Amino acid sequence: MYIDIVPNRNSRPAILLRESVREGKRIIKRTIANLSALSLQQAEAIRAVLKGEALAPADGPFEIIRSRPHGAVKAIAAAMRRLRLATLLDRKPSRERDLVLAMIAARVLEPQSKLATARSWGHSTLGASFGVEGADENALYAALDWLLERQDGIEQRLANRHLDDGARVLYDLSSSYFEGECCALAQRGYSRDGKKGTLQVNYGLLTDARGCPVSISVFAGNTADPQTLLPQVEKLQKDFALESVILVGDRGMISQKQIATLNETSGVEWISALKSGAIRKLVDAGCIQLDLFDERNLFELAHADYPGERLIVCRNPQLAELRTHKRRALLEATVAELETVKRMVTQGRLKDAEKIGVRVGRVINKYKVAKHVVLQIEAGHFSFRIDEDKVAAEAALDGLYVIRTSLPSEHLTSADAVRHYKGLSAVERAFRSLKSDDLQIRPIHHHSENRVRAHLFLCMLAYYVKWHLSEAWRGLLFADQDQQRLLERDPVAPATRSDAALEKVASKLLTDRSPAHSFRTLLNELATIVRNTCRRTNADPDEGTFEIDTTPNAKQRDALALIDAIRL
């Protein structure tokens, strides 16, 4: 049943209580009662009751006994429904599924440890919205175990959504530092967080061409990048049942050994780049002539050392200038500190050759320019000079890079090959978001290997939600809305923002002169939509309560409405 208010031209509108009835293929409205004697206010009250909305008592004032942030929870929950995340996890409803959904929403809303998450259900409407109020940390750990058991199936369903045969897949590896020493995955390795001396856990992220995450793989912290590549190929072909795929990885990931294996694997094409040593050989052999860049910034060549491959040579003058400036600054800083060491030796404060070497080693290792410095160390003597020939030889390669691919020219132009390789920046953005305050994947505290894997998978699913929300809210954020420019711009020149985006960044305002937001500040704006739990003033404690939500402002309404634009 519903209230139908029918306007009359010269009199009060008719207020009718009606119901809709199906007769065959037709829907017929049937009037149950004429309520035109009621006021419009009374009619709206009845309409609200029929819709299931809670109403304030009409016989007296009421008081607010509890207020909880609600708007951000509402937005995240709406996005998860649009993404059909519940059925993605498991088609069968369960307590564990509800807990995992709540943990994903909590990580997007306010990332915390599992203990802190369990203690914060009541800090917003999140616990009530997902039906998990009262769940403690032990229930969350058990839900993580449940999630890990279903990871393969969940990733397969994500791949079915976002990857087709012939799809371009981006892959990169990162690491995060580990607190503790109990986990077999935590090993000494290269720290991409800059945390020297800490144990590391490596994880590789597979995304579609846009950067939307599809799969995450976890490795011990001492695993080299190339060793993680071939398991991804096997996952794409066997687990995701893709007959053909284009794999994009950086030059440290797709090494010559991996390329040899990929070339023998049916249905796999790849895009990567040459390392600097290989580029130096091509320049020394005269295959790359720098004067070719006088009138263009890329050209293509073939070489016998790279059979069946296309090499696209690019030179970015702005990048060359930046690297030259950085190298000169590092050399100047090194020279300044080495002069200090030289004075110490001259003054007799450093005499032993071994001690002089240790002190000099600290300096040249600090600035990473040892290859350009010629040293002479003896007892009571120290001298040095900059090898300008080596500096000049390295400077000749500044701004120069070479994209390599197995794809023939009829399937991929040179410009698009460069654009596709640069698309790896989308995976780098994902890692930055995972590691920042947005999702806080690090530091990793879990002790068991399975819990570490489950934690990282949970963070990936949270990023999946955040990625879609960010795309839907692009017009409200500082993000550039003109994505078509990325497909048409000069692939070698530095990426630039559109004029509209630059204006947005400079003014901090949108076109309607309202404030532009980051993802986090927009969530904070939505959080000011509050759910108030109320009851009649001086009512009996056992009397029921009712809830009233804050009326959204214009920006909040826009943000909530844009979530409906999310498409799979």
Side-chain angles (χ1 to χ4, degrees), residues 391-425:
V391 173
E394 185 179 83
L397 301 183
D398 284 348
L400 194 68
Y401 56 94
V402 179
I403 306 300
R404 60 191 302 196
T405 179
S406 62
L407 283 162
S409 56
E410 57 266 26
H411 292 164
L412 186 70
T413 67
S414 298
D416 282 340
V418 179
R419 291 189 185 100
H420 291 350
Y421 181 76
K422 289 188 172 183
L424 282 171
S425 60

Side-chain angles (χ1 to χ4, degrees), residues 102-103 106-107 110-121 135 140:
M103 282 192 287
R107 189 149 292 273
E110 185 181 3
Q112 301 178 98
S113 69
K114 306 304 179 291
L115 175 60
T117 298
R119 291 178 175 178
S120 65
W121 295 133
L140 299 188

Side-chain angles (χ1 to χ4, degrees), residues 34-326:
N34 188 332
L35 305 179
S36 300
L38 300 179
S39 67
L40 287 177
Q41 184 177 6
Q42 290 172 315
E44 291 293 348
I46 297 174
R47 174 181 280 176
V49 169
L50 293 176
K51 288 182 177 180
E53 298 177 5
L55 301 180
D59 57 347
F62 60 90
E63 61 181 350
I64 299 173
I65 61 174
R66 187 182 189 188
S67 294
R68 292 172 293 171
H70 173 63
V73 174
K74 181 179 180 180
I76 295 169
M80 293 169 71
R81 286 193 298 272
R82 295 291 301 176
L83 295 169
R84 300 200 297 273
L85 204 61
T87 55
L88 181 74
L89 298 181
D90 195 17
R91 291 181 176 85
K92 183 179 179 181
S94 65
R95 177 65 170 172
E96 291 80 8
R97 190 181 78 169
D98 292 341
L99 289 169
V100 170
L101 289 171
M103 282 192 287
I104 293 171
R107 189 149 292 273
V108 178
L109 181 68
E110 185 181 3
Q112 301 178 98
S113 69
K114 306 304 179 291
L115 175 60
T117 298
R119 291 178 175 178
S120 65
W121 295 133
H123 296 173
S124 67
T125 58
L126 192 149
S129 298
F130 288 87
V132 296
E133 285 183 310
D136 60 14
E137 67 275 16
N138 293 322
L140 299 188
Y141 290 138
L144 281 179
D145 298 336
W146 176 92
L147 175 65
L148 185 63
E149 293 173 358
R150 287 155 178 78
Q151 178 173 354
D152 292 343
I154 294 169
E155 291 183 343
Q156 287 173 16
R157 289 189 282 276
L158 282 172
N160 290 337
R161 283 185 180 184
H162 302 292
L163 300 178
D164 298 317
D165 277 328
R168 178 161 42 100
V169 180
L170 311 179
Y171 177 68
D172 205 355
L173 189 80
S174 190
S175 65
S176 287
Y177 60 98
F178 185 88
E179 295 288 352
E181 300 179 353
C182 303
C183 181
L185 291 171
Q187 300 291 333
R188 300 284 178 185
Y190 172 62
S191 174
R192 293 165 178 84
D193 297 334
K195 292 279 188 178
K196 294 182 179 180
T198 58
L199 299 178
Q200 304 295 315
V201 174
N202 289 346
Y203 45 92
L205 190 64
L206 274 176
T207 78
D208 68 7
R210 304 168 300 166
C212 178
V214 172
S215 171
I216 191 168
S217 302
V218 185
F219 307 94
N222 56 359
T223 307
D225 290 19
Q227 296 176 9
T228 70
L229 181 70
L230 296 181
Q232 308 308 312
V233 176
E234 183 176 358
K235 178 182 289 189
L236 290 167
Q237 291 192 317
K238 293 185 178 180
D239 297 347
F240 300 165
L242 296 175
E243 295 183 1
S244 61
V245 68
I246 302 170
L247 188 62
V248 185
D250 67 23
R251 57 189 179 182
M253 183 70 63
I254 305 182
S255 66
Q256 191 60 46
K257 180 179 180 180
Q258 275 64 40
I259 285 176
T261 303
L262 292 177
N263 288 340
E264 296 175 357
T265 305
S266 176
V268 178
E269 304 290 352
W270 51 268
I271 302 173
S272 188
L274 287 181
K275 295 183 178 180
S276 57
I279 297 176
R280 164 58 61 190
K281 289 181 180 179
L282 291 175
V283 172
D284 292 343
C287 300
I288 299 178
Q289 300 178 19
L290 299 182
D291 56 3
L292 291 174
F293 294 107
D294 292 344
E295 297 181 358
R296 52 183 171 171
N297 57 13
L298 71 81
F299 66 90
E300 187 172 327
L301 62 85
H303 194 276
D305 291 346
Y306 306 96
E309 296 183 27
R310 296 163 59 205
L311 303 180
I312 299 100
V313 188
C314 309
R315 190 170 191 273
N316 184 333
Q318 292 89 342
L319 180 61
E321 183 178 351
L322 178 64
R323 289 183 175 174
T324 299
H325 176 76
K326 182 178 180 180

Side-chain angles (χ1 to χ4, degrees), residues 197 353 491 557 560 567:
R557 287 196 300 270
L560 293 172
R567 297 288 184 270

